RNA sequence: GCCGGGGUGGCGGAAUCGGUAGACGCGUUGGAUUCAAAAUCCAGUUCUGGAAACGGAGUGAGGGUUCAAGUCCCUCCCUCGGCACCA
C-alpha cells in the first residue's frame, strides 16, 4: 500500500518539490549562521540603522506576543538591510524579576538556575523563528558583567545628589512579614497568606526624575517618530501644572498647612481642608482621640495604587482642629480623608465643594458647607446644591475679587497672597520621584553600605560589582534570602572602616531595562559602562514593543538616557528616534461554571464550534467530553484564561514562515490581533501557492523587450510595479505589513491567472514571481532564501537589494472614473488621462444610467475630481 | 475615578489627503476533480427587493458641516490599555 503522499509524488504533475518547512527552514538558518549574516560592526561608509525590539522576560516559553513583536522588528530590520543600511538588531534578557522567585518557592530551584535554563530554551525558540539577531551582543541583566555598570552609575548619581532616601509606603503582609507587589495583593489580601494587607512606611531610595520633568515634557515635541497617543500620555504623566501654594495657619499649634491648587480663583469658596491619614497633624490629634486613631488605622487597609485610591469609597473624619482662611480669616475645619495621599505634595488639600466634584461629594456625605464663588461667564445659572460647577467663570461672593474672571483672579489672588507672604505661584508636577528600592531578592543589589557613624556610603568603584549570592534557599513566605544572610550583609564601612551593614534592597527591574538599549552597542566592554560605539549606533532608529509600556518603561529610559548624557556617556538627548507600539495578541476564551461558583477555563484548542450556513457560530463544544461550553469572547492570551497558543507547536506544524506571515497579516501592528487557527492555515495556503507558482517557473530564464508588450501583458506588468510601489510605501513608511501582504496576494492571484505561454508572457511572469519573492523575503525569509536559489541566483537573497519601481511601467493611457448624481454612484466612464474637465463632464452626462437620474431635473453644478470621480448636482 | 486608544459584513481587517465602503484573508454556499475523502481549482457571498438589468438601506447611537462623511465637529453608549512594586 502506498500512502497518499507517495501517490501524489509519483504523479508527474507533482514531481516538483513539495513545500517542506522542515528542511527549508533549518537550511536557511544554517546558511545565516555559517556566514555570520547578522553580525555587524561600525561602518561609517553605510547609513546605520539600529532596530530594537523590547527584550523579553525569560519565562521559558515564547508566547504569541513575543512572536508578533519580534517578527515586526525582524521584518523592519531585513527591509532596511535591503535598502543598503548597516543594520543592528540585538537580543537579550530582562532577567531579574518576581516570577523567578515564585518559581523558586514553588519548585525549589534557585532563581539564577531557573533563569539560565529558561534563557537557553528561549534562545533556541527565537532562532527557530529565523530572527536576524546579532547574538554576539547578547546580554542578560542578571549577570554581574551587566549590572555592575548600573551599580557604578548609581554611585555617580549619588555623588551628584540625584539620589536620596526617604520614607514611603509599601504593601505589607503582616503574616508573611514581607513587602508585596501590587499584583500580589488580591482583594486587599496577601496572595499567599490571605492576610489583610497593611500600608507600611519604610526608607527607600529615590531618583530625582522630577529634576528632569521639564526636559522630559519639552523634548516630547522632538519625538516626531513616536505615536501621538504615546507622546500625549508621556506629557500627561509628567503633568506640569501652574498653580499656587497656599499657607493655612492652624489654630491649635500655630503650625501651617501648605496646600497646592491650580484654582486659586476658587480660594474664597474653601469650606474645609483635608489631610492624609498619615499626616503628622492627624497623627498628633489621634494620640488623644481613639475614634480618629481607629479611622487612621482603617485607612491603612487599602492598596497603595492610584487606581484603588481614586475608586475607594470616600471617607473622612473631623480632627476638631480649625485652620484660618488666609484671606478672610474665617475658621475652616480640618478633616482627615482616606483619598488624600501623604506621598503627593504636602499631604494636604484645600476643599472647594462648589467647584470640585470630589470635594462636592465629600461635603454632601458629611454635611459640610458648599459656598459658590464662581458663576458661568454667560447668562446661565447653576445650582451648586445639585452638582459642582467646575468650569472657569466670573467670581462672586469673593469680596474685593467679585466680577473678575477666573484667569484674572488667578493672578490677583496669587499676588495678594504673595504680598501677605501666605502663598506663591509655583509649578507642580504630577510626576513623582522614582522609587527604585525593592525589598526582593532577585534583583540588582543597591551598592550602598550603612554605617552607624557615616550614614549611607556608596560602595567604592574598586569594590564593584556587589554580587548577588546565587546559591540561596527560599522559604514559603517569599521573603528575600539575602536579608537573612550575614555573609552577604555584614561588611565594613568604606570610609571609616568600622563594622557596617550592606543594603539588602535591590533595584526596581525598570532600572535594568532603562539602559540595555545602549549596552548592546558595546556589550563586551569590561572597562566601562559604554564606549564610543554607543555614539555610532544611538539613538535607536526603530524601537518596537507593547503599548502597555507607553508610559513607565519609556519614561524611565528617556530619563536614564539624559542622566547618561549628563555623565558624558552618550551624546544624544533621546534614546529612541522612532517608536512602534504593537497591540496585544488576543484569543477566544471558553469556560464552564464549576461547583465552587468559579469558572473552569477551557483551552480553545479543545473547543469545536458549530456554525449555521452563513458561518455564524451557534454552539461551542468541548472535544474532550462533547458537551457545550460558554464563549466569553476575545481576551489577551494568558495563563489565567487558559487561552494561550504555544508557538513551539505551531512552528513544528506549519513552520516559522507561516507563523511570521500570519502574525503580521492578521492586523496592523499597532492594533490588537485576534488569534485564529484557520487564519494560520490560510497563511500556509498562500505560502504553498507561491511556492508552487515559483517552482513551476524555475527553468524560465526568458528576458524580453518590455516596450512591445500586448495591452494585457502591459497591464499585468503595470500591476507588478504598482504593487512594488505600494509595498515599498507600506513597509518602509507606514508599517502596514498587513496591506503589503494583501497586495502581494492580489498580485499572485493575477499572475496565477496567466495562461499565455508566449516568451513575452513568460518573461513578465518571471519578473512578477521574482518581485514577489524579494518583497516578501523580509517576512518569510526562509522560503525567500530557498526560492531565490531555485530561481537560479548565485547571490543569497539576504544580500540582495530591494527591487526598483520601473516608472515607465506605471504609465496609463485611459483611466476609469465614476459618475455620481447627488453623491450616489450611477455609472462609470473611461477617460483619457489627458482629457480636460469639459469633455469629462460631457462624457459623464452621456452615460446611459446617469441619464435616467438627471432627466427632468436641472443641473446645478458638476464637480470633477481629477482621476477619481464626477459628481453631478441636480434637482 | 483619572489619562490614552478602539467600535466597519458571519469573522480578522481594507479604504494612505473629505471622493466607488467592504481590498486581501478566514468562514460559508454551489460546482470541478476523486470510488470516497483530504488537498487543489473555479464561481457566489454586507443586508434587502429582483430571474437579471437595476434599485433601497448601511461603517456603535443621535445630531451637525459639505456637492460629497467610515474619515471633520458636538452629545452619548460600549469596550480595551495604563495608573508609579507584573514586566
Amino acid at each position: 500500500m502506498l500512502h497518499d503522499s507517495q501517490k501524489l509524488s509519483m504523479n508527474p504533475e507533482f514531481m516538483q518539490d513539495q513545500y517542506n518547512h522542515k528542511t527549508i527552514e533549518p537550511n536557511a538558518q544554517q546558511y545565516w549562521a555559517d556566514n555570520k549574516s547578522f553580525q555587524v560592526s561600525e561602518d561609517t561608509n553605510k547609513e546605520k540603522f539600529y532596530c530594537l525590539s523590547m527584550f523579553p522576560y525569560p519565562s521559558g516559553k515564547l508566547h504569541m506576543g513575543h512572536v508578533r513583536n519580534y517578527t515586526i522588528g525582524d521584518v523592519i530590520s531585513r527591509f532596511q538591510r535591503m535598502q543598503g543600511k548597516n543594520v543592528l538588531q540585538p537580543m537579550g534578557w530582562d532577567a531579574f524579576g518576581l516570577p523567578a522567585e515564585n518559581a523558586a518557592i514553588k519548585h525549589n530551584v534557585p532563581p539564577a538556575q531557573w533563569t539560565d535554563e529558561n534563557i537557553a530554551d528561549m534562545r533556541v525558540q527565537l532562532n527557530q523563528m529565523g530572527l536576524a539577531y546579532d547574538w554576539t551582543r547578547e546580554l542578560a541583566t542578571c549577570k554581574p558583567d551587566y549590572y555592575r555598570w548600573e551599580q557604578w552609575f548609581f554611585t555617580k548619581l549619588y555623588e551628584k545628589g540625584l539620589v536620596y532616601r526617604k520614607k514611603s509606603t509599601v504593601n505589607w503582609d503582616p503574616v508573611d512579614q514581607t513587602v508585596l507587589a501590587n499584583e500580589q495583593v488580591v482583594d486587599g489580601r496577601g496572595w499567599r497568606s490571605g492576610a489583610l494587607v497593611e500600608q507600611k512606611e519604610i526608607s527607600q531610595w529615590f531618583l530625582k526624575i522630577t529634576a528632569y520633568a521639564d526636559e522630559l515634557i519639552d523634548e516630547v515635541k522632538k519625538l516626531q517618530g513616536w505615536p501621538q497617543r504615546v507622546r500625549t500620555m508621556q506629557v500627561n504623566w509628567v503633568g506640569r501644572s501652574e498653580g499656587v501654594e497656599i499657607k493655612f495657619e492652624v489654630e491649635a499649634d500655630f503650625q501651617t498647612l501648605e496646600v497646592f491648587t491650580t484654582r486659586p480663583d476658587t480660594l474664597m469658596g474653601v469650606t474645609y481642608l483635608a489631610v492624609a491619614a498619615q499626616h503628622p497633624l492627624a497623627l498628633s490629634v489621634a494620640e488623644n482621640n481613639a475614634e480618629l486613631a481607629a479611622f487612621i488605622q482603617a485607612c491603612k487597609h487599602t492598596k497603595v495604587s492610584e487606581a484603588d485610591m481614586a475608586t475607594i469609597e470616600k471617607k473622612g473624619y473631623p480632627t476638631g482642629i480649625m485652620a484660618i482662611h488666609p484671606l478672610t480669616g474665617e475658621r475652616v475645619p480640618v478633616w482627615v480623608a482616606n483619598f488624600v495621599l501623604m506621598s503627593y505634595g504636602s499631604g494636604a488639600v484645600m476643599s472647594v465643594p462648589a467647584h470640585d466634584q470630589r470635594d462636592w461629594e465629600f461635603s454632601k456625605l458629611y454635611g459640610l458647607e458648599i459656598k459658590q464663588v464662581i458663576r458661568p461667564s454667560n447668562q446661565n445659572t447653576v445650582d451648586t446644591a445639585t452638582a459642582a460647577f467646575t468650569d472657569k467663570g466670573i467670581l462672586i461672593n469673593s469680596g474685593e475679587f467679585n466680577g473678575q474672571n477666573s484667569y484674572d483672579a488667578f493672578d490677583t489672588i496669587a499676588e495678594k497672597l504673595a504680598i501677605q507672604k501666605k502663598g506663591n505661584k509655583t509649578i507642580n508636577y504630577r510626576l513623582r520621584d522614582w522609587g527604585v528600592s525593592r525589598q526582593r531578592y532577585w534583583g540588582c543589589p543597591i551598592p550602598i553600605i550603612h554605617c552607624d557613624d557615616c550614614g549611607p556610603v556608596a560602595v567604592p568603584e574598586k569594590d564593584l560589582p556587589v554580587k548577588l549570592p546565587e546559591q540561596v534557599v527560599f522559604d514559603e513566605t517569599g521573603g528575600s534570602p539575602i536579608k537573612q544572610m550575614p555573609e552577604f550583609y555584614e561588611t565594613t564601612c568604606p570610609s571609616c572602616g568600622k563594622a557596617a551593614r550592606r543594603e539588602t534592597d535591590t533595584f526596581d527591574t525598570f532600572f535594568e531595562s532603562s539602559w540595555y538599549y545602549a549596552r548592546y552597542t558595546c556589550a563586551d566592554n569590561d572597562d566601562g559602562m559604554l564606549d564610543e560605539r554607543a555614539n555610532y549606533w544611538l539613538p535607536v532608529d526603530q524601537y518596537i514593543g507593547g503599548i502597555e509600556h507607553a508610559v513607565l518603561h519609556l519614561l524611565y529610559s528617556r530619563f536614564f538616557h539624559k542622566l547618561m548624557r549628563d555623565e558624558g556617556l552618550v551624546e544624544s538627548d533621546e534614546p529612541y528616534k522612532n517608536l512602534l507600539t504593537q497591540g496585544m495578541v488576543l484569543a477566544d476564551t471558553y469556560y464552564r461554571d464549576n461547583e465552587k461558583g468559579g469558572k473552569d477555563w477551557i483551552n480553545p484548542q479543545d473547543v469545536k464550534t458549530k456554525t449555521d450556513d452563513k458561518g455564524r457560530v451557534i454552539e461551542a463544544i468541548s472535544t474532550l467530553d462533547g458537551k457545550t461550553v460558554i464563549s466569553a469572547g476575545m481576551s489577551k492570551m494568558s495563563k489565567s484564561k487558559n487561552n494561550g497558543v504555544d508557538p513551539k507547536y505551531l512552528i513544528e506544524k506549519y513552520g516559522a514562515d507561516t507563523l511570521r506571515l500570519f502574525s503580521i497579516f492578521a492586523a496592523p501592528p499597532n492594533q490588537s490581533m485576534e488569534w485564529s487557527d484557520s487564519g494560520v492555515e490560510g497563511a500556509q495556503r498562500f505560502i504553498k501557492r507561491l511556492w508552487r507558482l515559483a517552482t513551476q517557473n524555475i527553468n524560465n530564464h526568458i528576458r524580453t523587450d518590455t516596450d512591445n508588450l500586448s495591452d494585457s501583458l502591459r497591464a499585468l506588468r503595470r500591476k507588478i510595479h504598482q504593487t512594488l510601489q505600494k509595498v515599498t510605501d507600506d513597509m518602509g513608511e507606514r508599517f502596514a505589513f498587513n496591506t503589503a501582504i494583501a497586495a502581494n496576494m492580489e498580485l499572485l492571484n493575477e499572475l496565477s491567472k496567466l495562461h499565455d505561454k508566449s516568451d513575452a508572457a513568460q518573461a513578465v511572469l518571471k519578473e512578477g514571481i521574482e518581485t514577489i519573492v524579494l518583497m516578501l523575503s523580509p517576512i518569510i525569509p526562509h522560503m525567500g532564501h530557498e526560492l531565490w536559489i531555485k530561481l537560479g541566483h548565485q547571490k543569497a537573497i539576504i544580500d540582495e537589494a530591494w527591487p526598483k519601481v520601473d516608472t515607465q511601467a506605471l504609465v496609463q493611457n485611459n483611466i476609469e472614473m465614476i459618475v455620481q448624481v447627488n453623491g450616489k454612484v450611477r455609472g462609470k466612464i473611461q477617460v483619457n488621462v489627458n482629457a480636460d474637465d469639459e469633455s469629462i463632464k460631457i462624457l459623464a452626462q452621456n452615460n446611459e444610467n446617469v441619464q435616467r437620474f438627471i432627466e427632468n431635473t436641472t443641473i446645478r453644478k458638476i464637480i470633477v475630481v481629477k482621476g477619481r470621480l464626477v459628481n453631478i448636482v441636480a434637482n
Side-chain angles (χ1 to χ4, degrees):
Chain A
M1 277 291 283
L2 292 173
H3 291 290
D4 292 352
S5 59
Q6 288 173 291
K7 276 190 217 163
L8 278 179
S9 62
M10 289 173 71
N11 181 332
E13 277 270 322
F14 294 93
M15 283 300 274
Q16 53 176 298
D17 299 340
Q18 294 295 301
Y19 172 75
N20 181 1
H21 68 267
K22 288 189 178 171
T23 54
I24 294 168
E25 297 190 350
N27 281 349
Q29 286 163 16
Q30 193 61 50
Y31 176 89
W32 299 327
D34 290 347
N35 290 278
K36 298 182 166 58
S37 297
F38 309 122
Q39 276 188 36
V40 283
S41 55
E42 302 68 47
D43 178 351
T44 46
N45 294 317
K46 274 186 180 172
E47 189 182 343
K48 66 97 182 173
F49 191 90
Y50 182 3
C51 184
L52 181 67
S53 299
M54 289 182 185
F55 64 169
Y57 179 80
S59 60
K61 264 193 178 178
L62 213 59
H63 58 66
M64 289 310 304
H66 294 133
V67 167
R68 191 173 185 216
N69 193 170
Y70 302 147
T71 301
I72 293 167
D74 202 48
V75 171
I76 295 171
S77 294
R78 289 172 180 268
F79 176 82
Q80 291 297 337
R81 179 188 178 120
M82 290 179 88
Q83 308 300 317
K85 294 180 189 167
N86 190 28
V87 177
L88 167 61
Q89 194 186 204
M91 181 45 68
W93 314 97
D94 189 13
F96 276 136
L98 264 188
E101 296 191 15
N102 298 334
I105 298 164
K106 203 171 167 188
H107 303 118
N108 217 9
V109 195
Q113 187 194 328
W114 184 83
T115 304
D116 285 347
E117 288 168 5
N118 285 347
I119 287 174
D121 287 349
M122 285 180 81
R123 195 188 295 112
V124 171
Q125 292 173 53
L126 287 178
N127 276 324
Q128 285 172 343
M129 284 297 299
L131 301 163
Y133 294 136
D134 180 354
W135 283 108
T136 63
R137 298 164 185 269
E138 179 183 5
L139 58 83
T141 58
C142 63
K143 302 294 177 194
D145 61 2
Y146 181 81
Y147 67 66
R148 70 175 292 184
W149 296 112
E150 69 191 42
Q151 291 180 335
W152 170 82
F153 194 59
F154 181 81
T155 64
K156 293 281 148 200
L157 297 176
Y158 190 44
E159 280 169 21
K160 283 184 167 177
L162 285 163
V163 168
Y164 67 100
R165 201 165 154 79
K166 76 166 183 193
K167 291 229 171 194
S168 76
T169 319
V170 293
N171 301 308
W172 179 252
D173 185 323
V175 171
D176 279 349
Q177 297 280 301
T178 55
V179 175
L180 298 176
N182 280 335
E183 73 156 12
Q184 295 175 315
V185 181
V186 183
D187 297 328
R189 291 171 183 277
W191 65 342
R192 249 187 269 281
S193 69
L196 218 49
V197 168
E198 294 173 2
Q199 292 184 1
K200 189 181 177 182
E201 299 251 301
I202 58 173
S203 278
Q204 308 205 68
W205 290 100
F206 285 81
L207 254 59
K208 281 190 188 166
I209 191 171
T210 51
Y212 285 73
D214 281 326
E215 197 188 342
L216 286 167
I217 284 190
D218 294 344
E219 288 194 350
V220 166
K221 289 190 200 85
K222 293 189 195 164
L223 299 174
Q224 296 294 324
W226 284 37
Q228 186 54 52
R229 61 167 158 162
V230 177
R231 296 163 63 191
T232 308
M233 281 190 263
Q234 294 257 320
V235 170
N236 290 347
W237 186 265
V238 178
R240 190 184 143 106
S241 58
E242 289 177 29
V244 177
E245 198 170 62
I246 303 172
K247 294 187 179 78
F248 281 77
E249 285 186 10
V250 176
E251 272 186 346
D253 50 5
F254 304 103
Q255 279 187 354
T256 56
L257 282 176
E258 284 192 4
V259 302
F260 175 83
T261 179
T262 56
R263 292 293 304 273
D265 54 313
T266 66
L267 179 58
M268 303 304 258
V270 170
T271 55
Y272 66 99
L273 300 184
V275 298
Q278 298 304 316
H279 195 280
L281 187 145
L283 294 175
S284 79
V285 175
E287 284 172 19
N288 302 308
N289 183 335
E291 276 187 47
L292 180 59
F295 178 78
I296 290 170
Q297 190 59 34
C299 286
K300 280 191 172 182
H301 291 294
T302 34
K303 218 165 126 183
V304 267
S305 78
E306 194 188 78
D308 283 272
M309 293 306 283
T311 48
I312 53 170
E313 196 188 335
K314 287 161 193 62
K315 283 183 184 165
Y317 197 89
T319 60
I321 289 183
M322 303 301 266
I324 309 298
H325 192 287
L327 295 186
T328 64
E330 278 174 30
R331 299 166 76 235
V332 293
V334 179
W335 281 61
V336 176
N338 64 346
F339 55 86
V340 179
L341 280 180
M342 193 59 218
S343 47
Y344 286 104
S346 60
V349 295
M350 68 177 218
S351 298
V352 187
H355 306 291
D356 180 284
Q357 191 58 32
R358 192 169 65 173
D359 295 346
W360 185 88
E361 284 164 20
F362 191 84
S363 67
K364 278 283 171 187
L365 183 63
Y366 293 106
L368 295 160
E369 189 193 349
I370 297 170
K371 182 185 172 194
Q372 186 183 349
V373 292
I374 307 285
R375 68 163 173 82
S377 316
N378 55 30
Q379 292 311 306
N380 293 349
T381 53
V382 291
D383 180 9
T384 54
T386 48
F389 174 68
T390 56
D391 294 353
K392 295 190 173 165
I394 308 295
L395 273 71
I396 55 172
N397 299 328
S398 298
E400 63 187 284
F401 306 106
N402 278 345
Q404 293 188 14
N405 68 44
S406 290
Y407 302 94
D408 293 338
F410 185 110
D411 292 327
T412 51
I413 290 177
E415 274 161 32
K416 177 140 190 186
L417 288 167
I419 290 163
Q420 299 187 5
K421 300 206 187 310
K422 286 176 179 167
N424 284 301
K425 275 192 193 175
T426 53
I427 289 165
N428 198 48
Y429 299 91
R430 204 188 77 92
L431 181 70
R432 311 197 299 256
D433 275 337
W434 178 14
V436 296
S437 297
R438 296 292 179 271
Q439 294 70 44
R440 291 181 223 305
Y441 159 73
W442 192 234
C444 169
I446 297 176
I448 292 285
I449 291 166
H450 297 281
C451 172
D452 288 342
D453 294 344
C454 312
V457 181
V459 174
E461 191 170 348
K462 66 175 173 54
D463 295 334
L464 292 176
V466 178
K467 285 193 184 171
L468 182 71
E470 295 190 350
Q471 293 304 314
V472 292
V473 182
F474 271 82
D475 62 32
E476 68 284 357
T477 64
S480 169
I482 53 171
K483 294 193 186 293
Q484 318 292 331
M485 281 174 69
E487 64 269 40
F488 175 74
Y489 63 72
E490 282 179 357
T491 186
T492 51
C493 173
S495 54
C496 73
K498 277 180 34 183
R501 192 182 165 94
R502 194 181 291 289
E503 174 73 64
T504 55
D505 281 359
T506 52
F507 282 130
D508 175 6
T509 55
F510 276 128
F511 215 85
E512 284 85 54
S513 56
S514 290
W515 70 286
Y516 76 111
Y517 64 90
R519 182 66 182 176
Y520 279 133
T521 65
C522 49
D524 58 1
N525 186 344
D526 290 330
D527 304 318
M529 187 174 185
L530 299 176
D531 58 42
E532 67 284 352
R533 288 175 289 178
N535 287 326
Y536 171 82
W537 291 110
L538 292 176
V540 171
D541 294 280
Q542 185 64 55
Y543 196 32
I544 306 120
I547 183 66
E548 65 272 21
H549 295 293
V551 176
L552 290 180
H553 161 65
L554 289 168
L555 190 73
Y556 289 142
S557 55
R558 289 182 61 217
F559 167 51
F560 224 92
H561 193 86
K562 293 172 196 305
L563 291 173
M564 292 194 292
R565 176 201 61 196
D566 293 347
E567 187 62 32
L569 293 164
V570 293
E571 288 164 0
S572 41
D573 293 320
E574 288 283 340
Y576 314 115
K577 193 170 170 208
N578 296 294
L579 175 69
L580 177 61
T581 49
Q582 64 149 4
M584 294 176 310
V585 180
L586 314 178
D588 283 308
T589 51
Y590 300 98
Y591 70 93
R592 272 189 203 136
D593 292 312
N594 62 27
E595 293 138 15
K596 292 173 200 158
K599 287 179 169 124
D600 290 330
W601 295 95
I602 295 141
N603 194 286
Q605 287 182 316
D606 300 325
V607 175
K608 279 253 178 305
T609 52
K610 283 189 180 171
T611 55
D612 65 11
D613 61 2
K614 291 257 168 96
R616 280 180 279 244
V617 175
I618 47 174
E619 198 183 11
I621 289 166
S622 163
T623 53
L624 303 176
D625 60 12
K627 291 178 189 161
T628 313
V629 295
I630 303 162
S631 167
M634 287 277 176
S635 66
K636 184 180 173 177
M637 279 192 185
S638 68
K639 263 188 191 163
S640 61
K641 295 267 175 81
N642 189 21
N643 64 341
V645 179
D646 189 356
K648 206 170 165 179
Y649 156 81
L650 292 159
I651 292 170
E652 268 167 40
K653 187 169 176 191
Y654 300 105
D657 281 345
T658 297
L659 200 51
R660 291 169 63 114
L661 183 70
F662 175 70
S663 69
I664 59 169
F665 176 61
N670 57 1
Q671 281 178 35
S672 61
M673 168 206 146
E674 301 190 2
W675 184 259
S676 147
D677 289 328
S678 46
V680 179
E681 279 165 22
Q684 171 114 90
R685 211 146 39 220
F686 169 72
I687 282 181
K688 286 182 172 171
R689 262 165 37 84
L690 174 57
W691 177 268
R692 214 175 313 128
L693 189 70
T695 53
Q696 279 164 0
N697 285 280
I698 49 178
N699 295 317
N700 165 5
H701 299 300
I702 299 158
R703 300 264 176 245
T704 195
D705 182 5
T706 52
D707 292 339
N708 297 305
L709 296 172
S710 65
D711 282 353
S712 66
L713 286 178
R714 187 179 295 278
L716 183 58
R717 193 160 180 272
R718 187 189 310 129
K719 179 79 183 174
I720 294 170
H721 286 271
Q722 278 172 342
T723 304
L724 175 57
Q725 191 172 44
K726 176 180 172 50
V727 171
T728 307
D729 181 53
D730 281 357
M731 292 185 49
E733 306 298 326
R734 303 203 302 142
F735 303 124
F737 306 119
N738 54 332
T739 55
I741 294 166
N744 273 292
M745 287 174 166
E746 221 176 299
L747 178 56
L748 182 70
N749 290 344
E750 293 271 322
L751 293 173
S752 302
K753 283 178 195 152
L754 182 71
H755 298 299
D756 182 345
K757 296 291 175 200
S758 70
D759 278 5
Q762 292 303 299
V764 173
L765 178 61
K766 181 78 185 267
E767 183 182 3
I769 291 167
E770 296 206 332
T771 310
I772 292 181
V773 172
L774 284 168
M775 285 190 286
L776 289 179
S777 70
I779 299 166
I780 47 173
H782 305 93
M783 178 148 124
H785 179 80
E786 185 76 16
L787 283 180
W788 203 243
I789 296 167
K790 282 197 182 328
L791 288 165
H793 296 276
Q794 300 302 313
K795 205 176 183 182
I797 199 167
I798 189 67
D799 297 315
E800 293 285 359
W802 190 253
K804 288 207 162 45
V805 176
D806 179 355
T807 49
Q808 284 302 306
L810 299 175
V811 175
Q812 263 183 108
N813 297 325
N814 287 302
I815 50 163
E816 188 184 75
M817 287 178 77
I818 62 142
V819 185
Q820 296 179 334
V821 178
N822 293 329
K824 293 199 176 192
V825 181
R826 300 301 184 187
K828 289 172 184 176
I829 51 173
Q830 290 295 323
V831 180
N832 186 286
V833 280
N834 298 318
D836 60 26
D837 283 7
E838 283 314 306
S839 56
I840 291 170
K841 283 179 188 175
I842 291 162
L843 217 50
Q845 291 173 80
N846 288 343
N847 181 281
E848 208 180 320
N849 199 45
V850 169
Q851 294 220 323
R852 291 176 48 215
F853 290 88
I854 55 176
E855 63 186 5
N856 303 323
T857 63
T858 311
I859 292 171
R860 306 284 171 191
K861 202 198 288 189
I862 301 179
I863 294 142
V864 178
V865 182
K866 267 273 182 287
R868 287 187 183 272
L869 59 76
V870 182
N871 189 11
I872 301 169
V873 184
N875 59 16

